[in-house]
Amino acid sequence: MRWTPKLAAAALAAVLQACAGGPVSAPAPIAAVETKAPVTILVSIDGFRPDYLERGVTPNLSGLAAKGLAAPMRPSFPSKTFPNHWTLVTGLRPDRHGITANKMEDPARPDETFTMSTDDPFWWNAADPIWVDAEKAGVRTATMFWPGSNVAVGGERAKDWPNPITGGARPRDWAQFNMIIDNGQRVNGVLDWLRRPARIRPAFLTVYFDTVDTAGHDFGPGDPRTTQAVADIDKHIGDLLAGLAELGQPANLVIVADHGMAATSSDRTIVLSQLLPAGSYRSVETGPYAGLFALPGHEAGVEKALFGERSHYHCWRKSEIPARLHYGSHPRIPPILCLAEVGWQFAEKPPTARKEGGNHGWDNAAPEMAALFIASGPAFRPGKLPAFDNVHVYPLLRDLLGLPVARGKDGDGAVFKGVMTP
Ligand code: AMP
Ligand code: ZN
Ligand code: ZN
């Protein structure tokens, strides 16, 4: 039987009842009150490629990988931040959970565009994230940033000012994302939550770091400054481990990335306005892939210009996207998807200056898009896992929290059978 938050709550209640008096013949087992059940901490290091562990600058992360489980994890398509963070906490692929891109349109809301600051539940309501499941089951949660953690999932925002939200659920404690809250403050925030009295202490927590992704974009994955960002995050992971040890707080850590990072150059640009006549199309997103609409009357011309064998990219009607990408049925996906070869990017106009850097969003099977996965703690046996899809993280989290298996999800967590302690 795993020592889950639900079991811990029951045991603590029994001990407190015994301490409170009543017909107790033996002395109350005080030590049992102080024994802390493991909490689950989900850590996201945005844009952390698994091979960053081989740079010799990650003693803490590499130590956790050696003591626990590690694998290169396949992100879902598109290998972008919001779609993948939502997959990790819902067990559904973007085509089903509805966060199909970092920037989206929805035919049901023709006057709106979803961006990474959109917190209207309308965009997020197709799936409950793990913290909502946990709270419903009586497991207290706290999030130090995670896409969607500031959203009242399941709620409704009124159309008229001041647009109050009715219903919906958030983590019991959460923080509004702000890049200027530094990594040390984020770690200390998690530790402070765990310092609370048991009554109001969370059993499931998240913490999110953006600095490795930012360095990867600015300098490219191979640049020493990206390695420096990796080294810096590793120190913060070390601080988290030291803080947990000081608190006597056992933890199952699930450390993930949302996607990897590949080198880019302005020399590898596919210019949409040179492929298609002005006024014949509209792009919702550009970059490693482009989501396009042909404007009325231009459908045949746009398809003729884009479809078939092309250098460095491939375009499909949304209904004909290869099945392995699991992408193309959601109404938020534009009618045409163009996917570039890794390292190439779509842009509206030719670049005005030479620039090298990094990006992600390409085919989720590309090795450069692979994401970090490390799991360590009392629930895990040491070992290596084969590469697996990130839809399986959600069932793992449910298991760690003592929640029953969820039906109808894309992930089943079978990859973790045999590597967990009983
Ligand atoms: P991407 O464009 O896919 O590389 O997205 C990474 C960026 O997403 C980060 O640099 C942050 O600025 C942003 N981001 C991450 N988490 C959140 C959040 N919870 N809310 C708003 N923006 C976020
Ligand atoms: Zn990301
Ligand atoms: Zn990024």
Side-chain angles (χ1 to χ4, degrees):
M1 191 195 334
R2 181 159 306 134
W3 188 233
T4 66
K6 285 180 84 177
L7 274 177
L12 182 65
V15 171
L16 289 175
Q17 201 178 17
C19 294
V24 180
S25 49
I30 298 299
V33 178
E34 294 166 355
T35 301
K36 291 179 176 172
V39 295
T40 300
I41 308 181
L42 176 63
V43 180
S44 168
I45 313 177
D46 199 314
F48 196 117
R49 259 168 43 170
D51 62 306
Y52 288 173
L53 292 178
E54 290 154 27
R55 295 186 177 183
V57 297
T58 52
N60 293 299
L61 286 165
S62 300
L64 289 171
K67 273 191 287 171
L69 295 169
M73 184 166 67
R74 254 185 315 267
S76 299
F77 185 80
S79 47
K80 289 273 189 177
T81 297
F82 271 51
N84 277 286
H85 275 91
W86 208 233
T87 290
L88 287 161
V89 296
T90 62
L92 295 175
R93 295 197 171 90
D95 214 16
R96 289 187 64 207
H97 67 48
I99 304 298
T100 57
N102 283 348
K103 186 171 174 223
M104 312 183 277
E105 297 176 355
D106 191 312
R109 292 277 178 103
D111 302 329
E112 288 178 29
T113 299
F114 174 97
T115 66
M116 292 193 277
S117 55
T118 300
D119 59 4
D120 184 336
F122 164 79
W123 296 90
W124 300 86
N125 276 349
D128 279 349
I130 186 72
W131 52 80
V132 171
D133 299 333
E135 292 283 352
K136 280 184 185 161
V139 176
R140 189 170 175 124
T141 67
T143 52
M144 183 50 75
F145 308 151
W146 196 275
S149 59
N150 57 340
V151 176
V153 176
E156 198 178 339
R157 170 170 287 171
K159 271 212 174 96
D160 298 321
W161 190 87
N163 314 97
I165 292 172
T166 43
R170 295 187 175 94
R172 186 67 181 264
D173 292 284
W174 57 279
Q176 178 62 43
F177 178 70
N178 192 333
M179 272 176 108
I180 65 170
I181 304 295
D182 69 30
N183 294 333
Q185 287 174 277
R186 299 180 197 191
V187 167
N188 286 334
V190 165
L191 292 172
D192 285 343
W193 274 325
L194 292 173
R195 220 183 300 280
R196 287 178 173 179
R199 192 173 42 83
I200 55 164
R201 189 187 306 147
F204 172 78
L205 303 96
T206 73
V207 57
Y208 166 84
F209 301 109
D210 44 75
T211 42
V212 169
D213 180 72
T214 303
H217 283 295
D218 289 351
F219 311 121
D223 191 277
R225 288 165 289 186
T226 302
T227 305
Q228 187 53 49
V230 168
D232 179 66
I233 283 295
D234 190 76
K235 288 203 178 71
H236 289 291
I237 298 293
D239 291 343
L240 176 63
L241 296 176
L244 291 169
E246 209 177 322
L247 290 172
Q249 177 59 69
N252 288 309
L253 292 174
V254 179
I255 304 177
V256 296
D258 47 352
H259 50 68
M261 187 65 65
T264 55
S265 164
S266 49
D267 294 345
R268 297 191 293 272
T269 305
I270 304 154
V271 181
L272 288 172
S273 59
Q274 292 173 352
L275 297 177
L276 297 166
S280 69
Y281 74 100
R282 181 172 73 79
S283 63
V284 181
E285 281 189 297
T286 54
Y289 67 89
L292 303 173
F293 284 84
L295 295 181
H298 296 276
E299 291 85 352
V302 166
E303 292 195 351
K304 188 155 180 277
L306 297 176
F307 289 3
E309 278 300 308
R310 295 288 184 273
S311 297
H312 309 302
Y313 69 91
H314 200 103
C315 302
W316 302 273
R317 282 186 203 112
K318 70 184 277 193
S319 58
E320 292 166 3
I321 295 170
R324 63 182 186 75
L325 295 177
H326 299 281
Y327 197 70
S329 64
H330 202 284
R332 294 174 187 169
I333 299 171
I336 297 174
L337 174 76
C338 293
L339 180 59
E341 187 181 312
V342 173
W344 284 75
Q345 300 194 85
F346 292 96
E348 274 300 332
K349 295 188 185 135
T352 50
R354 202 152 184 283
K355 190 179 178 326
E356 320 260 281
N359 210 350
H360 50 86
W362 289 283
D363 191 328
N364 56 326
E368 297 90 337
M369 295 299 99
L372 178 76
F373 174 87
I374 297 172
S376 175
F380 302 101
R381 294 205 200 124
K384 285 251 180 282
L385 288 175
F388 68 91
D389 289 358
N390 68 350
V391 290
H392 299 300
V393 169
Y394 167 83
L396 169 67
L397 296 172
R398 286 188 73 95
D399 185 25
L400 292 173
L401 296 177
L403 305 181
V405 172
R407 292 181 193 283
K409 297 287 185 176
D410 290 324
D412 58 20
V415 66
F416 299 107
K417 288 245 158 66
V419 294
M420 311 288 289
T421 51

